[in-house]
Amino acid sequence: MHPLDQFRAFQTLREAGLGEEEIAARFFVAPGVVKQRLKLAAVAPALLDAYAEDRMTLEQLMAFTVSGDHARQEQVWEALSRAYSREPYQIRRLLTEGAVRASDKRALFVGVEAYEAAGGAVMRDLFQHDDGGWLQDPALLDRLVAEKLEAEAAAVRAEGWTWVEVALAFPYGHSRGLRRLAGEPVPLSEAEQATYDALHAEYERLEASEPAEAEELDRVARRLAEIDVELRGLEERPLVYETAEVARAGVFVSVDVEGGLQIDRGYVRPEDEAPVEPVVPAGGAETSAVPAGGGAVAAQPAAIAGGASVSAPVPVTGPAAPEEDEGLRPLPERLLIELSVHRTLALRDALVNDPDTAFLAALHALCLRTFTQRPGASCLELDLKSAGFGVQPPDLAASAAARAIDARQRAWSAQLPSEPAALWETLVGFDGDSRAALFAHCVSFGVNAVHEPWNRAPQRAAHADLLAGAVGLDMAAAGWTATVDSYLGRVPKARILEAVREARGPEAAQLIDHLRKPDMAKEAERLLAGSGWLPEPLRRPLEPAAGGDAGAEGEAEGGASLPAFLTGDGEIPDAEDGADRSEAAAA
């Protein structure tokens, strides 16, 4: 019997009213096998005829079960019949074009059940792991995401914030230039504290235990992981902010990379900051536009040493004000300026003789810019420019470097007060290592090694190379990998082949040089996985490409990491198997 006869026999029994369990019992097979066979029998009749005539393999027929649209199935088969390669992964890719994977963060945020309840259809693959399938209606999914985000934003607005911005994802660095409020965590209740203490005690007891049996060891490991999650939930407390601060601050509402709701509260825009109170100078009177005595004021530069100058209000000569018989008059503005010039020069000279305080003053100025956005609160005119990224790669905020930087920023923000005087006292109390680490964190925001076609700066690029060499930067270790989205799908075929040739050798490049560019890029991504290959702009200065002929020989001999249609074994490995094999070959 041809396998198709069995598929149709199952379908006939199903149409007669038998369930999958009954059909499985009749043929002595598992119910899952019945589901697969019924799915194969539901493919377009024209494709079943091609399979019956041996013009299509079973693996190809299995790939067509991803979609139930017979017209689309026949269209894809017609297109592939004229192509050189008709591999199952190509069939699946063409049938799922335009669909959204169930592992996409939008689908995780809304939930597949809610999407289906709204009338959305989901494609599933019964023959290999599909990460939950593909959602066929992206427009419906986007509408559900927007509605759910808006509902969450409405609840946040009710808290009294001045503004709430909502987006699926914000670009990296969107909060730069805004002051972050320092809220107070909500204390644990008595019941929560008791739970926390009990979990902590259980964690320590299990960690100190030494189970002899493997089964008990696995149970202890699972319980430790569960306790760790529960403890983090109790430790990560919501923050409470002052009502006056909430009235001038705002919130960002978005979806994180894992599909969870992300609410970032407590950001103050510069235009929403409270007005600065007048400063009382040494003379005892508040500084104002019109000095005491009623004389007019004109802006006039006052010279100071070193060629610098400051614009300061100087009284314009006019009628003498009547002498006051009682009390002390404020010092004249001109005299205040001259005295402050003397003090500035003396302070500069004294600071030279105290490097530790000079470092502390620079750190204080950088922290004011990095954490409080109040650079004018320091007498040290030291500024730090942080380049914005107008052009951003996909999912930049989810990269390892971005997550590490944000985590450090949050950790330091929790330790540093926003008031300049309190900030100074806090920095004075830090030890040398803490100051050095904070200084490095602040200075890092000034790094700008971005390629700017409109601003040719070879010296800046050369210094970026020196800096990368000094810190031992390795972009492969930092998490960058060559994928279809990050590189391979955006360069010509010659560049793709060059990358594979450098990483895996000429034999591997020859095996994919006949493919169309989309297929070549996808296969190259799999071949480059685990190789550590980097394009020239990401390599260290004078660093050769990773991999080479030695690694290629192992690939060519074993052939384990090559696709099935190149090795001739007739079986298409799934994505996870391919990744494992690539990593093993690279090792």
Side-chain angles (χ1 to χ4, degrees), residues 79 103 195 222 268 298 338 383 438 501 523:
S103 57
T195 302
R222 288 195 301 271
V268 182
E338 291 178 357
D383 199 2
L438 180 56
R501 190 180 300 112
E523 287 303 316

Side-chain angles (χ1 to χ4, degrees), residues 119-382:
V122 179
M123 292 186 291
R124 297 302 306 267
D125 192 339
L126 296 182
F127 298 94
Q128 65 174 223
H129 181 63
D130 60 5
D131 290 327
W134 296 266
L135 281 61
Q136 293 183 264
D137 194 339
L140 172 61
L141 178 61
D142 289 339
R143 179 172 63 81
L144 294 176
V145 169
E147 291 175 355
K148 186 173 181 179
L149 274 175
E150 186 55 38
E152 298 289 352
V156 173
R157 290 190 187 95
E159 299 174 8
W161 301 97
T162 299
W163 51 267
V164 176
E165 289 194 12
V166 183
L168 178 64
F170 291 99
Y172 178 73
H174 66 281
S175 60
R176 293 288 296 168
L178 307 181
R179 179 170 63 90
R180 184 76 182 269
L181 298 182
E184 292 293 331
V186 176
L188 293 171
S189 64
E190 292 184 4
E192 290 173 330
Q193 186 65 51
T195 302
Y196 182 87
D197 294 339
L199 289 172
H200 196 270
E202 183 183 0
Y203 190 93
E204 291 182 341
R205 178 176 57 79
L206 291 175
E207 196 174 32
S209 65
E210 297 180 358
E213 298 181 358
E215 183 176 345
E216 180 64 15
L217 186 63
D218 291 340
R219 188 195 68 79
V220 169
R222 288 195 301 271
R223 179 55 186 160
L224 285 173
E226 294 172 357
I227 295 175
D228 186 59
V229 172
E230 294 181 50
L231 287 175
R232 283 204 307 269
L234 291 170
E235 291 169 352
E236 296 173 357
R237 309 295 296 166
L239 299 178
V240 177
Y241 304 92
E242 295 182 6
T243 305
E245 293 280 36
V246 170
R248 66 169 61 95
V251 183
F252 295 102
V253 179
S254 60
V255 180
D256 63 25
V257 293
E258 297 178 351
L261 179 66
Q262 183 168 329
I263 302 177
D264 294 327
R265 294 177 172 86
Y267 289 90
V268 182
R269 294 167 173 163
E271 60 269 23
D272 296 329
E273 292 284 5
V276 179
E277 295 295 331
V279 179
V280 179
E286 293 184 353
T287 302
S288 60
V290 181
V297 176
Q300 178 176 326
I304 59 177
S309 65
V310 294
S311 295
V314 180
V316 177
T317 303
E323 293 291 339
E324 293 183 5
D325 296 332
E326 297 179 0
L328 295 175
R329 296 183 59 199
L331 292 176
E333 292 289 342
R334 178 61 183 244
L335 179 58
L336 284 176
I337 294 172
E338 291 178 357
L339 294 176
S340 66
V341 168
H342 281 293
R343 186 168 183 262
T344 297
L345 283 180
L347 189 56
R348 288 180 181 180
D349 186 54
L351 195 61
V352 170
N353 300 319
D354 192 345
D356 290 339
T357 303
F359 176 80
L360 185 62
L363 178 58
H364 181 253
L366 293 178
C367 287
L368 288 172
R369 164 63 73 183
T370 305
F371 296 98
T372 69
Q373 301 302 318
R374 296 180 181 179
S378 171
C379 70
L380 198 66
E381 292 189 342
L382 180 67

Side-chain angles (χ1 to χ4, degrees), residues 357 360-361 364 417 419-429:
T357 303
L360 185 62
H364 181 253
E419 291 301 321
L423 175 61
W424 177 269
E425 294 300 326
T426 300
L427 296 179
V428 169

Side-chain angles (χ1 to χ4, degrees), residues 13 76 103 148 259 332 418 473 478:
L13 292 175
V76 169
S103 57
K148 186 173 181 179
S418 58
L473 179 63

